[in-house]
């Protein structure tokens, strides 16, 4: 890991290896740019051309809490030897990779002497020798044996424990070395007497599970008939509504039992009134997210049926007669948005959602999901071809999937419009969305190219905070390649502006572009105290929000949560960014800040 990544190592990632069109080389995709429990919410959009493996990424995420693989999950690349088992793992970085199981062992026995675990090592070696005896053993086990034998004694024990947690490896171990497995289990139990494992250690330290719950959303396509069912089997939609209310199922069951016993409907009426009163917040949430004010729900308890009615301005609706967009949102609301079983750190995956919503509906949906995710600490991972779900103010949400010349899939999650290592990155997004540049961002808006992702995040953050319209920021990867930058930017935007630092590279680009139609603005032109974007922040804000380093993960989280944090940002910092935005929008000389 290079020094830049070390500074950006507070994040959660998924690592995919040997899964479908992902080969033996590790592919890592950032899920969250923070590991703070209160900063885990957000949206990821996976874009790329057809048949590049977007759905495979979603399926890989679903395997985080499901280690069983089908035969079709194994990759098949003619140039790669063997048939390695798929390997999909959650990675957490907190100034270096966090390994919960290893950390749990170290916490319990921090003064380990390797000789103290001699018996566990001997049992581990015995199991591995038998596992790797013969040519027919899985390649992954052979590789693990090499790794374990080359590791220090304590690390070898830890690695062996991880191997033995794999149900397939454990099954083979029990077949070929049952006595050694039994001895190993006893030794490990003695080694960790209080039974504390890695998951428990991680939960205690960070406040959420290391391996998240993953919900794959697929539309249920409910019909009007699903909203009215018999008591003995009233179906999932009725169940979901009742679970929203404390003791809801129990209240209904007791009311119906009393009706059967007494033969009067008083208990049904009382329970129905009680439930409907508590359904009002659910209807309020539905209206808030659907950008309406006219919908309400009414729960019905009849003699032999239980049902849910949808009302619009007091008039009952037939679900079958509603638009496909409304029906999609209705299902999504009850299956995801009002589910109480989702907690911070959990993940919802969606494959090409809301294709039946109109353009504005998709834009509003993306905004609603983003706000919901941030509030609840849930990560949505969405594959899409729709440009209307993508927002130029949130380009850090994009994960670009590409195929190399051997058809191996790769994920790129550090977006810039121009990258010297990947100069066609914007083109690959447009290709994946099958659109022109004018759809992704309005060419008539003021377009300002900035030196990097941190500049993009901070400037966009304050643009959103101040609710400023008519300006779009786009990041490039530095300004040293002057010729390429000027040439390509002229092809991307009309009357483009490049905002640069007041350093040697920025001054060089400023002079180079003087005879072109590309305008270069130095931060020092706006205020001589502004050397780079970090200098706009006060020293206290730089300290409180970790601004001093070029931490693009941290800057992305800052942008995402700026509305929640705005009251903690000093007025001087806000004034500095407003000064920059005013200058870029309207131009003209400005007085230096006091």
């Amino acid at each position: 890991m290079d020094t830049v990544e070390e500074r950006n190592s507070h994040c959660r990632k998924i690592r995919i290896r040997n899964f479908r069109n992902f080969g033996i080389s590790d592919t890592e995709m950032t899920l969250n740019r923070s590991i703070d429990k209160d900063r885990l919410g957000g949206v990821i959009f996976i874009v790329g051309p057809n048949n590049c493996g977007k759905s495979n990424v979603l399926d890989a995420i679903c395997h985080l809490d499901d280690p069983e693989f089908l035969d079709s999950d194994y990759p098949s690349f003619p140039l790669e030897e063997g048939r390695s088992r798929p390997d999909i793992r959650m990675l957490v970085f907190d100034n270096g990779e966090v390994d919960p199981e290893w950390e749990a062992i170290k916490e319990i026995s921090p003064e380990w002497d390797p000789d103290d675990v001699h018996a566990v090592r001997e049992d581990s070696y015995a199991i591995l020798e038998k596992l790797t005896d013969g040519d027919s053993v899985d390649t992954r086990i052979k590789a693990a044996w090499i790794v374990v034998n080359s590791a220090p004694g304590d690390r070898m024990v830890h690695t062996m424990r991880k191997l033995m947690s794999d149900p397939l490896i454990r099954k083979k171990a029990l077949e070929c070395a049952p006595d050694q497995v039994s001895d190993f289990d006893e030794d490990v139990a003695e080694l960790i007497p209080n039974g504390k494992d890695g998951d428990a250690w991680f939960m205690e330290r960070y406040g959420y599970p290391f391996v998240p719950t993953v919900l794959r959303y697929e539309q249920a396509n409910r019909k009007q008939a699903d909203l009215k069912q018999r008591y003995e089997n009233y179906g999932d939609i009725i169940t979901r509504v009742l679970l929203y209310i404390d003791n809801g199922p129990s209240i209904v069951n007791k009311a119906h039992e009393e009706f059967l016993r007494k033969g009067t409907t008083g208990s049904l009426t009382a329970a129905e009134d009680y439930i409907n009163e508590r359904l009002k917040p659910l209807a309020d949430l539905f209206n808030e997210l659907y950008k309406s004010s006219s919908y309400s729900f009414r729960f019905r308890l009849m003699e032999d049926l239980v049902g849910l009615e949808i009302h619009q301005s007091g008039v009952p609706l037939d679900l079958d007669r509603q638009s496909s967009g409304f029906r999609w949102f209705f299902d999504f609301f009850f299956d995801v948005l009002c589910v109480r079983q989702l907690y911070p750190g959990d993940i919802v995956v969606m494959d090409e959602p809301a294709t039946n919503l109109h353009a504005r509906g998709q834009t509003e949906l993306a905004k609603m999901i983003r706000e919901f995710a941030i509030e609840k600490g849930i990560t949505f991972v969405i594959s899409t071809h729709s440009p209307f779900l993508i927002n130029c103010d949130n380009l850090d949400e994009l994960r670009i999937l590409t195929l190399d010349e051997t058809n191996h899939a790769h994920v790129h999650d550090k977006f810039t419009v121009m990258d010297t290592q990947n100069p066609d990155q914007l083109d690959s997004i447009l290709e994946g969305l099958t659109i022109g540049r004018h759809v992704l961002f309005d060419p008539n808006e003021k377009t300002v190219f900035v030196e990097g992702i941190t500049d993009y995040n901070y400037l966009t953050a304050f643009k959103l905070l101040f609710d400023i319209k008519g300006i779009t920021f786009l990041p490039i990867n530095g300004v040293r390649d002057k010729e390429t930058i000027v040439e390509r930017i002229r092809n991307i935007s009309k009357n483009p502006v490049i905002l640069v630092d007041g350093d040697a590279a920025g001054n060089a680009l400023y002079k180079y572009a003087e005879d072109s139609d590309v305008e270069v603005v130095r931060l020092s032109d706006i205020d001589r105290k502004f050397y780079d974007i970090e200098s706009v922040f006060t020293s206290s804000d730089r300290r409180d929000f970790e601004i001093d380093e070029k931490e693009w993960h941290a800057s992305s989280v800052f942008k995402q949560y700026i509305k929640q944090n705005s009251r903690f940002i000093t007025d001087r910092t806000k004034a500095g960014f407003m000064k920059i935005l005013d200058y870029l929008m309207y131009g003209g000389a400005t007085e230096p800040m006091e």
Side-chain angles (χ1 to χ4, degrees):
M1 184 181 292
D2 63 26
T3 55
V4 173
E5 286 305 311
E6 286 174 357
R7 292 201 303 267
N8 294 296
S9 60
H10 298 275
C11 58
R12 291 200 311 171
K13 297 184 177 184
I14 180 175
R15 191 186 74 191
I16 307 171
R17 180 195 295 164
N18 295 324
F19 183 73
R20 300 183 188 171
N21 65 335
F22 293 89
I24 58 176
S25 299
D26 292 349
T27 295
E28 294 181 2
M29 185 181 82
T30 303
L31 294 169
N32 304 97
R33 304 196 186 281
S34 171
I35 56 173
D36 185 338
K37 180 183 177 183
D38 298 325
R39 296 291 185 266
L40 290 174
V43 185
I44 294 169
F45 292 104
I46 303 174
V47 300
N50 287 327
N51 203 32
C52 67
K54 295 189 295 294
S55 296
N56 290 345
V57 177
L58 302 185
D59 290 343
I61 293 172
C62 291
H63 276 290
L64 283 171
D65 59 358
D66 178 13
E68 297 298 321
F69 295 99
L70 302 175
D71 187 69
S72 58
D73 292 330
Y74 285 73
S76 178
F77 294 109
L79 298 180
E80 294 180 4
E81 297 181 359
R83 181 173 165 79
S84 299
R85 187 174 185 272
D87 185 0
I88 298 168
R89 301 189 184 187
M90 175 66 75
L91 304 176
V92 173
F93 294 87
D94 190 355
N95 281 326
E97 184 176 350
V98 175
D99 194 324
E101 189 170 9
W102 177 239
E103 297 293 343
I105 295 174
K106 288 197 300 184
E107 189 173 286
I108 294 167
S109 303
E111 303 300 327
W112 264 18
D113 181 341
D115 289 338
D116 293 341
V117 292
H118 175 77
V120 186
R121 288 208 307 275
E122 291 302 310
D123 293 336
S124 303
Y125 282 126
I127 294 170
L128 286 166
E129 285 173 0
K130 291 189 178 183
L131 278 173
T132 56
D133 181 19
D135 295 333
S136 61
V137 180
D138 190 288
T139 305
R140 179 167 175 260
I141 300 176
K142 287 185 177 181
W145 179 76
I146 295 172
V147 171
V148 170
N149 276 277
S150 64
D154 49 3
R155 173 61 70 176
M156 187 279 296
V157 174
H158 161 68
T159 306
M160 185 63 191
R161 289 188 70 220
K162 281 206 158 187
L163 282 176
M164 293 296 286
S165 68
D166 186 310
L168 295 181
I169 293 179
R170 186 173 185 84
K171 181 176 182 291
K172 289 186 178 183
L174 287 169
E175 291 172 355
C176 67
D179 293 338
Q180 286 86 349
V181 172
S182 177
D183 292 341
F184 177 80
D185 289 344
E186 291 177 4
D187 289 334
V188 169
E190 184 176 349
L191 189 68
I192 309 180
N194 65 1
K196 185 175 183 177
D197 59 17
D199 288 338
W201 176 89
F202 190 88
M203 173 66 84
E204 181 179 316
R205 184 181 182 103
Y206 293 100
Y208 56 92
F210 179 70
V211 178
T213 296
V214 180
L215 170 65
R216 177 157 200 154
Y217 176 70
E218 295 179 354
Q219 187 179 2
N221 290 308
R222 292 185 177 89
K223 302 184 182 301
Q224 181 67 25
D226 298 322
L227 305 186
K228 188 177 292 185
Q229 299 289 327
R230 301 189 66 82
Y231 278 94
E232 55 268 23
N233 184 25
Y234 46 65
D236 72 310
I237 181 65
I238 304 298
T239 301
R240 289 185 183 279
V241 173
L242 290 177
L243 288 175
Y244 184 81
I245 300 167
D246 291 337
N247 299 316
S250 176
I251 292 170
V252 169
N253 293 338
K254 288 181 179 179
H256 190 243
E257 289 172 2
E258 184 175 344
F259 162 73
L260 293 177
R261 198 168 54 248
K262 296 182 177 180
T264 59
T265 59
S267 60
L268 298 178
T269 301
E272 182 180 287
D273 292 342
Y274 178 87
I275 292 172
N276 283 325
E277 182 64 28
R278 281 150 186 80
L279 278 185
K280 291 179 181 178
L282 188 68
D284 291 341
L285 178 62
F286 185 95
N287 283 313
E288 177 186 352
L289 298 177
Y290 196 63
K291 306 301 180 185
S292 175
S293 61
S294 60
Y295 293 99
S296 60
F297 303 116
R298 185 179 178 193
F299 207 77
R300 295 295 309 278
L301 295 180
M302 296 155 276
E303 294 183 1
D304 56 349
L305 297 174
V306 57
L308 177 70
E309 294 179 353
I310 313 166
H311 289 231
Q312 183 178 26
S313 301
V315 179
L317 297 182
D318 185 335
L319 185 60
D320 296 343
R321 296 178 180 272
Q322 304 312 302
S323 69
S324 57
F326 178 91
R327 293 171 64 181
W328 186 93
F329 182 83
F330 180 85
D331 285 342
F332 180 63
F333 178 82
F334 281 103
D335 287 338
V336 178
L337 301 184
C338 70
V339 174
R340 291 190 171 184
Q341 289 83 358
L342 290 173
Y343 300 98
D346 289 346
I347 299 173
V348 178
V349 300
M350 303 169 68
D351 197 357
E352 302 288 350
T355 54
N356 50 6
L357 293 180
H358 55 76
R360 183 179 177 185
Q362 292 184 49
T363 301
E364 292 291 344
L365 174 68
K367 180 181 178 183
M368 177 266 294
I369 290 177
R370 183 179 298 110
E371 292 173 351
F372 179 84
I374 290 172
E375 179 185 353
K376 301 296 183 183
I378 298 165
T379 302
F380 284 80
V381 183
I382 301 171
S383 70
T384 185
H385 281 102
S386 172
F388 306 112
L389 295 176
I390 307 302
N391 188 317
C392 273
D393 292 337
N394 296 284
L395 293 176
D396 48 318
E397 295 175 344
L398 294 182
R399 307 293 185 268
I400 307 162
L401 197 61
T402 61
L403 297 177
D404 63 21
E405 62 277 2
T406 62
N407 285 326
H408 287 67
H410 301 276
V411 177
H412 311 273
D413 63 9
K414 187 174 182 179
F415 174 82
T416 59
V417 174
M418 289 191 301
D419 190 323
T420 54
Q421 302 300 316
N422 188 8
D424 294 326
Q425 213 164 28
L426 182 61
D427 292 338
S428 62
I429 295 175
L430 302 176
E431 179 185 352
L433 298 173
T434 63
I435 60 171
R437 284 188 174 87
H438 66 285
V439 179
L440 188 59
F441 63 93
D442 187 349
N444 295 315
E445 278 198 353
K446 184 91 171 187
T447 303
V448 178
F449 296 85
V450 296
E451 287 198 35
I453 296 176
T454 53
D455 297 51
Y456 162 81
N457 281 329
Y458 291 136
L459 287 162
T460 303
F462 284 96
K463 164 197 162 179
L464 295 173
L465 179 64
F466 301 143
D467 195 26
I468 294 176
K469 311 295 185 184
I471 187 170
T472 297
F473 293 100
L474 292 175
I476 58 180
N477 193 25
V479 295
R480 296 190 181 277
D481 191 352
K482 301 185 291 295
E483 295 84 355
T484 300
I485 290 171
V486 171
E487 179 182 353
R488 291 206 63 218
I489 281 181
R490 292 174 63 191
N491 295 327
I492 292 175
S493 174
K494 297 178 181 178
N495 304 317
V497 175
I498 308 175
L499 180 66
V500 299
D501 294 341
D503 57 8
N507 289 329
L509 181 63
Y510 177 84
K511 292 180 180 179
Y512 178 84
E514 281 183 327
D515 296 328
S516 74
D517 55 355
V518 175
E519 180 185 359
V520 175
V521 175
R522 295 167 296 191
L523 280 169
S524 55
D525 296 332
I526 302 174
D527 190 305
R528 62 173 178 263
K529 294 182 179 180
F530 297 163
Y531 176 79
D532 56 20
I533 203 68
E534 288 76 23
S535 67
V536 185
F537 290 89
T538 62
S539 58
S540 60
D541 285 336
R542 288 198 298 270
R543 180 188 65 247
D544 294 343
F545 296 104
E546 301 177 345
I547 304 296
D548 282 326
E549 299 291 344
K550 290 285 186 180
E551 295 183 341
W552 71 283
H553 285 321
S555 67
S556 180
V557 175
F558 178 88
K559 173 169 69 69
Q560 192 172 28
Y561 287 89
I562 190 168
K563 290 186 177 179
Q564 291 89 329
N565 291 330
S566 64
R567 66 184 184 277
F568 304 115
I569 301 171
T570 62
D571 291 341
R572 183 178 178 83
T573 293
K574 293 176 183 176
F577 278 94
M578 178 59 81
K579 186 175 186 178
I580 294 173
L581 291 165
D582 278 344
Y583 186 97
L584 294 173
M585 288 289 291
Y586 308 113
T590 62
E591 295 296 323
M593 292 182 63
E594 295 296 330

